[in-house]
């Protein structure tokens, strides 16, 4: 029997490396924006765009624009996920990178309330909405860009490129902000220094575009085109033909998102307000853990190629669900060293889930529906997981006055993730 002429040739290793870099650059931009916007909302946006006699009210209004970025992500998942399955991965990913990057850079050029009144706040919200739309279409395509170039036997490793974005983006954003705060007087930082952090995102956009426009379409999509097997209505087909895959992918993502919120967001408040420790120690733990994750996440993805996605993912979920019941008593004595160690171990459990996650989610869907399915799973899980987790952690702790409630909440979401793994299919 002769080989089919429509089968794509095996990609050269340089194409695999370029696909890995293209995927990593996009998600790094996303999480660079995430970290920079979070800090700016707490430090400067309330004063500059939502002035009020009550500083807390201004800060809360600033954080409301932060939430807009989560609310708009499903729209990006619906729009760009569909286009990615109809037009191709590469073309859509160039668009999402431009949309996210330009919106982020424009925030650094916005006039403030003192210059244009309420118009500044309106523009900030619109740009944040545009960021969310672009980000909603970025993750699914970034996963496919690297995984569909890589071999099936090493898909866990190649797909993990998109997962390295969060720690890389956090490290980059915090490094830039820390550097600006160190070299600029406070008045200059509030006046113009904060803008530099947003304008620098243009560097990542240029680098990402340079790689993506030079990269060919993925072999999987080229084969779909050659056979004429692209989905005609991918949104409808995901919900009607592959609902179990969508549910499994969404549930599998909830636990990791909630765990990440605990050990990168809530822990900062807990360490300072409950333990009375300097915030710098908690930040040091997050930074050290993020630095380790840059290597641990691809390692966990590669391990899932050998042991199976669900096995590695499940070990991480079980460890993540149990760790808060060790972590909170461990740091209760106020030891800074134990706080740092506890945060790092928490992010190690996260790496064991996050490394195989991209490949696991992509493998739930048929090739013709992968971009749509991955995008919907990412954005919908982000709302019920990462978007609500910091608020729920804070509310539960305030209501019950004990770490047990937040720990049980995280444990419950890890059980949800295990259910998603059980519902999902193996590669």
């Amino acid at each position: 029997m002769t080989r089919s002429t429509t089968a794509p040739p095996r990609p050269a290793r340089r194409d695999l490396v370029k696909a890995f870099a293209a995927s990593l650059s996009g998600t790094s931009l996303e999480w660079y924006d995430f970290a920079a916007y979070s800090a700016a909302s707490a430090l400067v946006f309330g004063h500059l765009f939502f002035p009020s006699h009550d500083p807390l009210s201004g800060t809360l209004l600033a954080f409301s624009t932060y939430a807009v970025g989560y609310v708009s992500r499903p729209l990006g998942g619906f729009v760009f996920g569909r286009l990615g399955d109809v037009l191709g991965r590469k073309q859509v990913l160039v668009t999402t990178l431009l949309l996210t990057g330009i919106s982020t850079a424009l925030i650094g050029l916005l006039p403030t309330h003192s210059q244009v009144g309420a118009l500044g706040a309106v523009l900030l919200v619109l740009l944040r909405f545009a960021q969310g739309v672009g980000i909603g279409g970025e993750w699914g395509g970034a996963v496919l860009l690297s995984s569909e170039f890589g071999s099936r036997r090493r898909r866990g490793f190649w797909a993990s490129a998109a997962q390295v974005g969060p720690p890389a983006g956090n490290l980059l954003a915090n490094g830039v902000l820390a550097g600006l705060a160190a070299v600029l007087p406070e008045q200059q930082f509030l006046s113009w220094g904060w803008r530099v952090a947003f304008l620098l995102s243009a560097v990542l956009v240029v680098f990402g575009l340079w790689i993506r426009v030079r990269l060919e379409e993925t072999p999987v999509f080229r084969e779909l085109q050659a056979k004429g097997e692209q989905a005609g209505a991918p949104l409808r087909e995901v919900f009607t033909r592959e609902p179990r895959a969508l549910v499994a992918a969404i549930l599998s993502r909830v636990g990791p998102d909630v765990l990440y919120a605990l050990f990168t967001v809530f822990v900062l408040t807990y360490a300072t307000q409950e333990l009375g420790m300097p915030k710098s120690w908690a930040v040091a733990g997050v930074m050290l853990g993020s630095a380790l994750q840059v290597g641990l996440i691809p390692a966990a993805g590669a391990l899932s190629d050998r042991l199976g996605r669900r096995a590695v993912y499940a070990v991480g979920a079980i460890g993540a669900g149990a760790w808060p019941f060790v972590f909170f008593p461990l740091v209760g004595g106020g030891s800074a060293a134990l706080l740092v160690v506890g945060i790092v171990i928490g992010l190690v459990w996260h790496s064991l889930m996050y490394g195989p996650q991209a490949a696991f989610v992509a493998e739930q869907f048929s090739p013709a529906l992968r971009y749509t399915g991955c995008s919907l799973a990412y954005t919908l899980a982000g709302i019920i997981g990462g978007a609500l987790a910091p608020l729920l952690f804070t509310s539960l702790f305030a209501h019950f006055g004990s770490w047990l409630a937040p720990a049980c909440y995280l444990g419950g979401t890890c059980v949800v993730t295990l259910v998603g793994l059980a519902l999902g299919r193996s590669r």
Side-chain angles (χ1 to χ4, degrees):
M1 184 175 66
T2 59
R3 186 182 300 233
S4 171
T5 58
T6 60
R10 182 181 179 87
R13 185 167 183 82
R14 65 177 179 273
D15 291 328
L16 298 179
V17 174
K18 287 190 332 188
F20 191 95
S23 177
L24 173 60
S25 63
T27 52
S28 295
L29 171 64
E30 170 188 341
W31 285 88
Y32 175 89
D33 159 60
F34 185 97
Y37 198 99
S38 177
S41 295
L43 296 175
V44 299
F45 283 172
H47 172 71
L48 296 176
F49 294 97
F50 305 96
S52 170
H53 295 296
D54 178 13
L56 178 59
S57 298
T59 302
L60 289 174
L61 287 171
F63 274 125
S64 70
T65 67
Y66 177 81
V68 167
Y70 269 107
V71 173
S72 60
R73 285 187 186 189
L75 176 60
F78 275 87
V79 173
F80 290 114
R82 176 188 177 279
L83 292 176
D85 281 326
V86 174
L87 302 178
R89 317 330 189 186
K90 173 187 170 179
Q91 184 174 342
V92 173
L93 279 173
V94 168
T95 303
T96 58
L97 184 65
L98 281 172
L99 179 59
T100 305
I102 291 174
S103 300
T104 304
L106 286 177
I107 289 176
L109 300 175
L110 281 180
T112 63
H113 186 277
S114 64
Q115 296 170 313
V116 295
L119 178 61
V122 172
L123 293 174
L124 180 64
V125 172
L126 289 175
L127 288 175
R128 183 58 175 168
F129 186 88
Q131 283 179 335
V133 173
I135 288 170
E138 168 69 28
W139 186 84
V143 167
L144 300 187
L145 190 64
S146 55
S147 66
E148 290 186 347
F149 266 99
S151 67
R152 295 177 63 184
R153 290 185 301 172
R154 300 198 65 198
R155 184 178 289 154
F157 170 75
W158 291 111
S160 69
Q163 306 297 81
V164 181
N170 279 334
L171 285 172
L172 186 59
N174 282 284
V176 168
L177 289 169
L180 290 170
V183 301
L184 294 176
E186 182 178 1
Q187 186 58 40
Q188 291 185 19
F189 179 78
L190 293 175
S191 175
W192 59 267
W194 66 272
R195 298 180 182 275
V196 176
F198 289 90
L199 294 174
L200 284 178
S201 67
V203 176
L204 278 174
V205 173
V206 172
F207 177 72
L209 284 176
W210 178 70
I211 295 177
R212 288 185 178 183
V213 297
R214 290 155 50 95
L215 197 65
E216 293 184 1
E217 184 56 79
T218 70
V220 171
F221 189 79
R222 293 204 308 269
E223 186 173 7
L224 289 172
Q225 283 183 312
K227 295 180 178 180
E229 295 179 352
Q230 301 107 296
L235 278 173
R236 175 176 57 80
E237 291 178 46
V238 166
F239 285 105
T240 57
R241 289 173 47 193
E242 302 187 2
R244 176 170 176 165
L246 181 60
V247 171
I250 291 173
L251 297 184
S252 71
R253 279 188 40 82
V254 174
D257 279 7
V258 175
L259 174 71
Y260 199 73
L262 174 63
F263 284 105
T264 63
V265 180
F266 177 72
V267 72
L268 303 179
T269 301
Y270 184 81
T272 55
Q273 297 186 6
E274 179 65 18
L275 302 179
M277 299 172 65
K279 186 177 181 179
S280 58
W281 282 105
V283 172
V286 173
M287 294 289 285
L288 178 58
S290 296
L292 291 175
Q293 282 195 298
V294 172
L296 286 175
I297 287 173
L303 187 63
S304 75
D305 289 326
R306 291 179 172 270
L307 304 181
R309 313 275 183 252
R310 287 190 288 192
V312 177
Y313 209 138
V315 169
I318 294 171
W323 183 240
F325 296 94
V326 178
F327 170 77
F328 285 108
L330 188 70
V331 302
S335 169
L338 290 178
L339 175 68
V340 172
V341 170
I343 293 173
V344 169
I345 293 176
L347 293 178
V348 169
W349 294 122
H350 181 263
S351 298
L352 288 176
M353 292 187 287
Y354 217 56
Q357 182 185 94
F360 176 82
V361 170
E363 289 168 349
Q364 299 311 302
F365 303 98
S366 59
L369 301 175
R370 272 189 194 147
Y371 203 138
T372 301
C374 288
S375 297
L376 292 179
Y378 174 71
T379 56
L380 296 177
I383 290 179
I384 63 177
L388 296 178
L391 176 62
L392 288 176
F393 278 131
T394 304
S395 300
L396 288 170
F397 184 77
H399 181 75
F400 292 98
S402 169
W403 57 264
L404 276 173
C408 289
Y409 165 50
L410 175 58
T413 62
C414 288
V415 171
V416 169
T417 287
L418 291 173
V419 172
L421 295 177
L423 286 174
R425 63 183 181 184
S426 60
R427 54 177 171 153

